Amino acid sequence: MLQTTVFSPSPGALQLNHNPNRRIFSWGRGSVGVNSSTSNTWRQSLFVSAKPVLEDGVLSVNGKEVLTKVPENVVVTPLTNSSAFVGATSETATSRHVFKLGVIRDVRLLSLFRFKLWWMIPRVGNTGSDIPVETQMLLLQAKEGPDFDALKEAAPYILFLPVLDGEFRSSLQGNSSNELEFCVESGDPAIVTSQSPKAVFVNCGNHPFDLLKESMKILEKHFGTFSLRESKQMPGMLDWFGWCTWDAFYQGVNPQGIREGLKSLSQGGTPAKFLIIDDGWQDTSNEFQIEGEPFVEGSQFGGRLNSIQENNKFRTTTNKEAESETPSGLKEFVSEIKANFGLKYVYVWHALLGYWGGLLPNALGTKKYNPKLRYPVQSPGNLTNMRDLAMDCMEKYGVGAIDPAKVYQFYDDLHGYLVSQNVDGVKVDVQNILETISTSLGGRVSLTRQFQQALEKSIATHFQDNSIICCMGQSTDSIYHSKKSAITRASDDYYPENPTTQTLHVAAVAFNSIFLGEVVVPDWDMFYSRHDAAEFHAAARAVGGCGVYVSDKPGQHDFEILKRLVLPDGSILRARNPGRPSRDCLFVDPVMDGKSLLKIWNLNKCNGVIGIFNCQGAGKWPCVENIVEVKASAAELSGQVSPADIEYFEEVSGKHWTGDCAVYSFTKGCLSRLPKDKSFEVTLKLLQCDVFTVSPIKVYKQEIEFAAIGLLNMYNSGGAVEAIDCFGDESSCEIHIKGRGGAGSFGAYSSLKPKACSVNSIDEEEFEFRGEDNLLTVTIPPRTRSWNIILCY
């Protein structure tokens, strides 16, 4: 089937400021004679006074060259005053094209690319050759002076987002000649084209995070196939501490082990309110694992689903089992653990196609979905980067693919059954598999859209809380079809036994959240609380604005760390936004350059928070040549931290702000006062971190300067503060602080020592005032869920 829609400029458009001797195109603010809503395609023979500008084969922004040697077959379609689509044409029609866009040199750039079929990681660089294959977001900044040290904050940011152009999915890549290229592919040899005029969205701006936000708003409106995070319903489990069974048991998960894990967490004072029963509960079979024969690594990915029900570990099949600890069925077990341990949410795991190897063809419980054995085929781009064991094995063993016409029926039956078993939601894994089996099924874009719509419809039908966590779905096929799903895993798995991946995990999620965080809440995955890198992971999740859940083996917990994340009632202090790298970290490599620390910023209701991490020396990014070796025993690294690292701080500073901030170090327990634009030095060893709460110092009545810090015993101290009000007259002043979380110490900056203090209307509560740094502390009584502190001056 040949799909070759021809795009060409309208005759009227060609008459606008046309000079046949110049090849010029521009778009941006200040456009003359062009309606920003136009959908016409403009060739390089047009001139409109604006920025960026494409003139004589050079794309420039504010007079700075971004792309040179732009080929003649490149076309540009204006979209808004500052943005456009870029694409290209070919003389031949095929299902996969690689087009050149032009040469990139002398910039600072950040790529987010898929190093495996399922997962993205970041890459920084200065030229086109630094852009990896399968790049899904490219952010760059033009050089301001003769060297990169001369780059100023005012230099504009340019964003390239490869998107979905009809039935074709696009990605970016560089080549050895420093040329930026884009690849478009349908995933089906029968679906071909000779043109892709809207393959790459380009936008520019002076604020990188505003640029991402506004760009995704433009694309959301233009395509209508996905929704932004801020418009989606957030699952309730995000605000409660959870436990996942995966690293505790792997596929050996069983009811008694789950009981023991929930019990030990509860007894330690950090009760799990959210549970994921991961892989291992389903009714599956595996012809590649034969009893009595040695286990073959990877054979687990050949397993297929027999039915939508639970396996025999979670239900009794004989009278003898009825006398054991095996429940009669999944419903009895879920109801039991909810009642005994106060669980609010129980999710279970399943793959997008049911299981790793899909459905078992012709099985009694699956044949109604008409599954057929298909052997996945990866695109050349994926094969360029890193091989993946799961994908390699699925290529070898095949997958029992659900008939697309039956996919909603499958999800409807599965989720309907789970709801009948008292299950509250699902974690849906292995989502990117669709792009590898799309031949003869309409291509990867269409197939993903069909499955995603069926999945989200079923979730909305059966679960009342938008209760889905998406996983292994970082391809733009999935991202740009995420209409309702609100949570997506933002990194490769947490690997507790691999010391080289701990720092990579934290850095990857932070950078991936720049892009993913506009569409979903990035999920940071589970971690072990008793581990060499436990505090590193815990602090990252405290500033990540994400759900928090561990995968500890029963009884193997570090409650000192957990109690810095989890309140006694099982809730967490989740920050408002996805945690992202600070602006001065965007174009540095915090894992391998040997000098840079990683800073992650976020906001709470009344303050900001910055986590700073030494990720250097422990591991190496995959798919990197000419590696700079960083020894694990390297000296401490130092970096600058400033309140200005927190974007959108004006949202919490409000009225009466002095311009100064109270900065509290969780690790050192010290408080300092700092103007917003000043910085201080932090020194960390490998795998060390700190979390700084940054609160605006405001002037209240009687010239009292005050800033609430929050619960000093929590990593994200400021997340506990809900509201601050002031009451009084000329002779007195009362500051009221409302917050949540008990059994801790509330801290604040106060220019004066209060005369009295009360907590929840109990007068004369004791408090301490440290004059050397103006730290005021108030003890919150145990078993207090929320509190109202009144300070009298």
Side-chain angles (χ1 to χ4, degrees), residues 662-684:
V663 181
Y664 180 78
S665 164
F666 178 86
T667 300
K668 295 183 178 179
C670 63
L671 181 67
S672 58
R673 179 170 180 156
L674 197 69
K676 184 182 187 299
D677 58 350
K678 299 299 181 181
S679 62
F680 57 94
E681 187 173 86
V682 176
T683 301
L684 299 171

Side-chain angles (χ1 to χ4, degrees), residues 25 100 178 327 482 497:
F25 176 79
K100 295 179 180 180
N178 290 322
S482 178
E497 304 303 324

Side-chain angles (χ1 to χ4, degrees), residues 568-792:
D569 65 354
S571 64
I572 62 171
L573 302 178
R574 186 167 66 92
R576 281 171 44 181
N577 304 312
R580 289 159 285 181
S582 61
R583 199 180 301 202
D584 58 351
C585 288
L586 290 177
F587 301 109
V588 302
D589 185 350
V591 170
M592 288 175 51
D593 71 9
K595 59 183 180 181
S596 302
L597 298 176
L598 172 64
K599 292 180 289 183
I600 302 174
W601 64 272
N602 215 321
L603 290 172
N604 296 305
K605 287 185 178 180
C606 301
N607 47 58
V609 60
I610 307 172
I612 184 165
F613 304 84
N614 185 350
C615 301
Q616 301 283 351
K620 305 170 184 176
W621 291 117
C623 309
V624 175
E625 299 176 357
N626 303 320
I627 290 173
V628 177
E629 294 288 348
V630 182
K631 296 182 180 179
S633 59
E636 299 172 326
L637 293 179
S638 297
Q640 296 295 310
V641 177
S642 170
D645 291 329
I646 302 174
E647 305 286 343
Y648 312 112
F649 194 72
E650 66 277 5
E651 295 181 10
V652 299
S653 58
K655 299 179 180 179
H656 312 300
W657 183 30
T658 64
D660 288 357
C661 297
V663 181
Y664 180 78
S665 164
F666 178 86
T667 300
K668 295 183 178 179
C670 63
L671 181 67
S672 58
R673 179 170 180 156
L674 197 69
K676 184 182 187 299
D677 58 350
K678 299 299 181 181
S679 62
F680 57 94
E681 187 173 86
V682 176
T683 301
L684 299 171
K685 295 180 180 179
L686 172 65
L687 280 176
Q688 283 188 339
C689 59
D690 201 352
V691 180
F692 296 93
T693 298
V694 181
S695 184
I697 298 176
K698 299 183 182 182
V699 179
Y700 296 95
K701 298 181 185 297
Q702 306 301 315
E703 300 301 312
I704 296 167
E705 295 184 348
F706 182 86
I709 300 299
L711 291 179
L712 304 184
N713 50 302
M714 306 295 287
Y715 289 119
N716 183 21
S717 305
V721 180
E722 302 280 347
I724 306 169
D725 292 301
C726 181
F727 304 93
D729 52 32
E730 295 181 357
S731 61
S732 66
C733 174
E734 286 187 358
I735 296 178
H736 294 222
I737 309 101
K738 293 182 179 180
R740 64 188 185 91
S745 179
F746 168 82
Y749 172 92
S750 180
S751 59
L752 297 175
K753 180 179 179 179
K755 295 179 181 178
C757 169
S758 68
V759 179
N760 291 346
S761 301
I762 301 176
D763 295 331
E764 304 303 325
E765 284 286 346
E766 293 186 2
F767 63 90
E768 295 182 4
F769 182 76
R770 202 163 66 189
E772 60 267 28
D773 60 1
N774 296 89
L775 177 63
L776 169 70
T777 56
V778 179
T779 300
I780 305 297
R783 295 179 295 280
T784 301
R785 290 194 172 185
S786 61
W787 35 264
N788 183 16
I789 297 173
I790 300 177
L791 301 172
C792 301

Side-chain angles (χ1 to χ4, degrees), residues 418-440:
L418 292 174
V419 167
S420 76
Q421 302 302 295
N422 210 7
V423 170
D424 303 289
V426 288
K427 172 184 173 183
V428 183
D429 218 336
V430 205
Q431 295 203 10
N432 284 355
I433 188 63
L434 293 177
E435 69 183 70
T436 70
I437 59 170
S438 60
T439 295
S440 76

Side-chain angles (χ1 to χ4, degrees), residues 75-94:
V75 295
V76 183
T77 305
L79 187 58
T80 69
N81 286 336
S82 64
S83 67
F85 287 115
V86 178
T89 63
S90 172
E91 295 181 355
T92 60
T94 182

Side-chain angles (χ1 to χ4, degrees), residues 236-242 269-274 344 548 562-574 711 714 719 722 740-742 784-786:
M237 45 69 55
L238 281 171
D239 294 312
W240 297 92
F241 174 58
T270 57
K273 298 297 181 179
F274 162 56
K344 292 179 175 291
V548 175
L562 289 178
K563 288 179 180 180
R564 298 169 181 171
L565 283 171
V566 186
L567 297 172
D569 65 354
S571 64
I572 62 171
L573 302 178
R574 186 167 66 92
L711 291 179
M714 306 295 287
E722 302 280 347
R740 64 188 185 91
T784 301
R785 290 194 172 185
S786 61

Side-chain angles (χ1 to χ4, degrees), residues 405-602:
K406 303 285 187 179
V407 64
Y408 177 73
Q409 183 182 1
F410 171 70
Y411 293 142
D412 185 53
D413 289 347
L414 173 59
H415 298 152
Y417 176 74
L418 292 174
V419 167
S420 76
Q421 302 302 295
N422 210 7
V423 170
D424 303 289
V426 288
K427 172 184 173 183
V428 183
D429 218 336
V430 205
Q431 295 203 10
N432 284 355
I433 188 63
L434 293 177
E435 69 183 70
T436 70
I437 59 170
S438 60
T439 295
S440 76
L441 293 177
R444 57 189 293 171
V445 174
S446 175
L447 190 63
T448 300
R449 178 169 57 247
Q450 191 169 354
F451 271 72
Q452 187 72 20
Q453 289 175 349
L455 177 64
E456 292 188 338
K457 180 181 177 182
S458 179
I459 295 294
T461 299
H462 296 289
F463 301 117
Q464 303 305 309
D465 196 33
N466 196 20
S467 302
I468 178 173
I469 301 172
C470 297
C471 193
M472 299 176 78
Q474 288 189 6
S475 169
T476 46
D477 303 75
S478 297
I479 295 167
Y480 290 128
H481 284 114
S482 178
K483 194 74 173 175
K484 296 181 180 179
S485 303
I487 307 173
T488 294
R489 263 277 297 285
S491 72
D492 198 349
D493 287 7
Y494 167 72
Y495 296 108
E497 304 303 324
N498 188 344
T500 68
T501 62
Q502 306 307 310
T503 57
L504 274 64
H505 186 106
V506 169
V509 179
F511 279 91
N512 288 343
S513 295
I514 298 170
F515 176 43
L516 295 177
E518 298 301 328
V519 181
V520 294
V521 174
D523 176 70
W524 285 65
D525 202 13
M526 63 203 86
F527 69 101
Y528 277 167
S529 71
R530 185 181 291 183
H531 190 276
D532 291 342
E535 184 157 59
F536 203 76
H537 283 283
R541 285 152 181 80
V543 299
C546 56
V548 175
Y549 55 102
V550 295
S551 194
D552 297 345
K553 297 180 185 298
Q556 302 296 308
H557 317 290
D558 186 329
F559 287 108
E560 184 177 358
I561 287 176
L562 289 178
K563 288 179 180 180
R564 298 169 181 171
L565 283 171
V566 186
L567 297 172
D569 65 354
S571 64
I572 62 171
L573 302 178
R574 186 167 66 92
R576 281 171 44 181
N577 304 312
R580 289 159 285 181
S582 61
R583 199 180 301 202
D584 58 351
C585 288
L586 290 177
F587 301 109
V588 302
D589 185 350
V591 170
M592 288 175 51
D593 71 9
K595 59 183 180 181
S596 302
L597 298 176
L598 172 64
K599 292 180 289 183
I600 302 174
W601 64 272
N602 215 321

